[in-house]
């Protein structure tokens, strides 16, 4: 379901800004640990041309580990063909350059042969929202590496539904009615809208299952978009293992929405997410500054960065690197301790994912070899 349908209806179409975050792993440097600077430069040059041509209002290019992230503002709405085509073309040109440098897994997430109108279902991940920019519009964009999109379930629940995390739910009259969660069932491609706090237990019954149900979007009770996440599952698209999805998530903040600090607070607990080495392990999600988003130990542990922007008529004022703050040192230490503890389990569960979630890894190839020997 598009987040467009329930976005706020104030003002004419031209008043609305669209924020599109489109990302792909088009090649790792070195291995799957980070991105090559020349690929980032190539992307910046391409988006600067699109800005000069008035397709984009503004953009910011960054990377989280081996994922290239294109943060773009425009007035074309969500699922815009020219904006998706622009992202696709950047990823194609980046892939070509990655091949020249023989970067690892060049073009990894480019699952389709040619562009067909929208990058959704073609490999890249997308989080988009359209809204009327408020008097002041603080936003946080989360970008993760070495994990699945279920990684957002826990922090989004904490931010928008847990009064122990978000004191605004208790003491701010404009948040007191709670928020609505759009939950996507990735196995059956269906969605359900649940209201919190009234349906909090139903919500948790679903989203506690992070591989099956994903929080796709969060809305205010008035239907204004507050958060949008990428929920693409590469393995389900490709039918085979092609690396983890490494999702992105946009959150609008303040003035009746959770404060920036309430949006960041869940990450003080480095919760366990699936991904890490070979997309086959649970590991803690470590909040880091962008410069530290280069997962190397056992191809991890999984990372998340948070870039904050103030929007000014679509201009991206920023970023502020929000996890570049000593108050997240403890979370990083804890994540390292947890990572160290889990690593000692080696190939044993629960460090390794349970069998049903290993289906889209390289394990079935090994099991097939043993099939005939079972008597
Ligand atoms: C995780 C990831 C890496 C690779 C691992 C093996 O998302 O991409 O951990 O799975 O480095 O890669 P291959 O099989 O390509 O050597
Ligand atoms: Mg990769
Ligand atoms: Mg990645």
């Amino acid at each position: 379901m598009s987040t467009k349908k329930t976005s706020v209806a104030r003002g004419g179409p031209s008043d609305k800004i669209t924020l599109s975050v489109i990302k792909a792993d088009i090649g790792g440097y070195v291995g799957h640990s980070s991105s090559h600077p020349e690929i980032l430069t190539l992307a910046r040059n391409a988006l600067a041309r699109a800005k000069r041509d008035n397709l984009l209002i503004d953009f910011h290019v960054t990377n989280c580990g081996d994922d290239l992230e294109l943060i773009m503002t425009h007035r074309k709405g969500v699922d815009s063909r020219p904006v998706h085509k622009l992202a696709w073309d950047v990823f194609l040109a980046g892939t070509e350059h990655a091949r020249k440098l023989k970067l690892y897994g060049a073009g990894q997430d480019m699952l389709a042969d040619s562009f067909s109108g929208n990058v959704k279902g073609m490999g890249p991940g997308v989080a988009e929202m359209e809204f009327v920019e408020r008097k002041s519009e603080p936003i946080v964009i989360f970008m993760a590496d070495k994990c699945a999109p279920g990684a957002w379930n826990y922090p989004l629940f904490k931010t928008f539904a847990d009064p122990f995390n978000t004191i605004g739910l208790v003491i701010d009259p404009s948040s007191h009615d709670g928020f609505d969660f759009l939950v996507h069932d990735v196995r059956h491609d269906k969605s359900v809208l649940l209201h919190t706090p009234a349906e909090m237990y139903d919500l948790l019954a679903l989203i506690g299952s992070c591989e099956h149900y994903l929080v796709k979007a969060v809305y205010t009770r008035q239907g204004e978009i507050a958060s949008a996440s990428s929920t693409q599952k590469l393995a389900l698209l490709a039918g085979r293992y092609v690396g983890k999805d490494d999702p992105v998530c946009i959150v609008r903040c303040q003035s009746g929405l959770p404060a920036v600090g309430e949006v960041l607070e869940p990450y003080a607990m480095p919760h366990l997410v699936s991904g890490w080495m070979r997309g086959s392990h649970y590991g803690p999600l470590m909040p880091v500054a962008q410069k530290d988003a280069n997962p190397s130990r056992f191809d991890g542990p999984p990372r998340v960065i948070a870039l904050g922007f103030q929007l000014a008529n679509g201009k991206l004022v920023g970023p502020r690197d929000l996890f570049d703050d000593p108050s997240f040192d403890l979370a990083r230490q804890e994540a390292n301790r947890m990572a160290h503890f889990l690593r000692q389990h080696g190939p044993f569960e629960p460090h390794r994912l349970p069998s049903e979630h290993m289906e889209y890894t390289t394990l079935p190839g090994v099991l097939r070899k043993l099939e005939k020997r079972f008597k």
Side-chain angles (χ1 to χ4, degrees), residues 198-215:
E199 296 180 299
M200 178 191 284
Y201 299 155
D202 295 308
L203 175 66
L204 286 171
L206 298 180
I207 67 169
S209 181
C210 296
E211 298 296 316
H212 190 164
Y213 299 99
L214 304 175
V215 179

Side-chain angles (χ1 to χ4, degrees), residues 12 20 61 85 93-94 111 153 161 185 211 227 231 291 345 355:
S20 301
V61 171
K85 172 91 166 62
L111 300 183
N153 284 7
D185 173 345
E211 298 296 316
S227 174
T231 50
K291 69 172 173 41
H345 291 74
S355 303

Side-chain angles (χ1 to χ4, degrees), residues 23-25 32 64-69 108-109 144-147 243-246 295:
K23 52 83 45 186
D25 175 348
H32 291 277
C64 182
D66 56 6
D67 291 276
L68 173 63
E69 331 271 352
Q108 177 184 288
D109 289 355
D145 189 30
K146 305 292 180 274
C147 66
K244 269 292 183 236
D245 314 285
D246 304 337

Side-chain angles (χ1 to χ4, degrees), residues 29-338:
Y29 169 62
V30 169
H32 291 277
S33 66
S34 194
S35 304
H36 196 281
E38 287 175 21
I39 302 286
L40 290 156
T41 304
L42 178 149
R44 282 186 192 113
N45 291 342
L47 296 196
R49 280 195 296 276
K51 187 174 164 178
R52 277 199 300 276
D53 293 344
N54 293 319
L55 173 57
L56 300 182
I57 304 173
D58 205 0
F59 69 88
H60 181 78
V61 171
T62 191
N63 72 292
C64 182
D66 56 6
D67 291 276
L68 173 63
E69 331 271 352
L70 311 179
I71 299 168
M72 301 171 284
T73 52
H74 53 92
R75 291 190 194 276
K76 308 278 178 199
V78 300
D79 292 328
S80 151
R81 186 187 172 98
V83 173
H84 281 232
K85 172 91 166 62
L86 170 67
W88 180 258
D89 288 345
V90 171
F91 295 144
L92 266 190
T95 296
E96 203 177 304
H97 197 72
R99 288 200 174 117
K100 271 189 211 136
L101 299 175
K102 293 184 72 172
L103 297 183
Y104 196 69
Q108 177 184 288
D109 289 355
M110 304 295 277
L111 300 183
D113 295 330
S114 57
F115 183 71
S116 64
N118 190 306
V119 295
K120 274 184 202 152
M122 299 177 72
V126 187
E128 289 185 295
M129 53 165 75
E130 187 188 35
F131 50 84
V132 176
E133 199 177 281
R134 295 169 293 165
K135 198 168 102 203
S136 181
E137 188 64 65
I139 52 163
V140 179
I141 301 174
F142 294 98
M143 294 159 268
D145 189 30
K146 305 292 180 274
C147 66
W152 307 131
N153 284 7
Y154 170 86
L156 287 173
F157 175 81
K158 297 283 284 182
T159 293
F160 288 100
D162 179 2
F164 281 72
N165 180 90
T166 299
I167 185 63
L169 295 168
V170 181
I171 66 171
D172 180 354
S174 50
S175 303
H176 209 79
D177 288 345
F179 291 90
D180 294 344
F181 285 70
L182 181 65
V183 177
H184 190 61
D185 173 345
V186 284
R187 292 197 194 144
H188 304 105
D189 198 16
K190 290 196 275 198
S191 298
V192 60
L193 192 71
L194 292 171
H195 314 292
T196 58
E199 296 180 299
M200 178 191 284
Y201 299 155
D202 295 308
L203 175 66
L204 286 171
L206 298 180
I207 67 169
S209 181
C210 296
E211 298 296 316
H212 190 164
Y213 299 99
L214 304 175
V215 179
K216 171 79 196 143
V218 183
Y219 302 95
T220 66
R221 296 313 290 270
Q222 292 72 39
E224 182 146 9
I225 185 84
S227 174
S229 348
S230 63
T231 50
Q232 287 79 15
K233 298 269 276 178
L234 282 168
L236 296 182
L237 290 175
R240 64 188 159 85
Y241 180 66
V242 273
K244 269 292 183 236
D245 314 285
D246 304 337
V248 290
C249 174
I250 307 169
V251 185
R252 296 170 76 196
C253 312
Q254 309 287 156
S255 302
L257 299 175
V260 169
E262 291 166 336
V263 170
L264 300 176
E265 177 64 10
Y267 298 88
M269 201 287 267
H271 65 291
L272 291 175
V273 295
S274 72
W276 205 347
M277 174 58 81
R278 296 174 189 270
S280 308
H281 294 81
Y282 282 113
L285 186 63
M286 184 190 276
V288 290
Q290 195 278 330
K291 69 172 173 41
D292 295 324
N294 308 298
S296 51
R297 182 180 178 184
F298 198 56
D299 287 0
R303 300 299 148 103
V304 58
I305 60 172
L307 296 190
F309 296 91
Q310 288 290 149
L311 285 191
N313 303 312
K315 198 170 154 34
L316 288 156
V317 180
R320 275 226 57 241
D321 191 346
L322 295 163
F323 289 143
D324 188 5
D325 174 355
S327 66
F328 285 97
D329 283 353
L330 202 58
R332 294 188 266 269
Q333 269 169 36
E334 191 134 313
N336 270 326
R337 260 210 319 270
M338 288 161 72

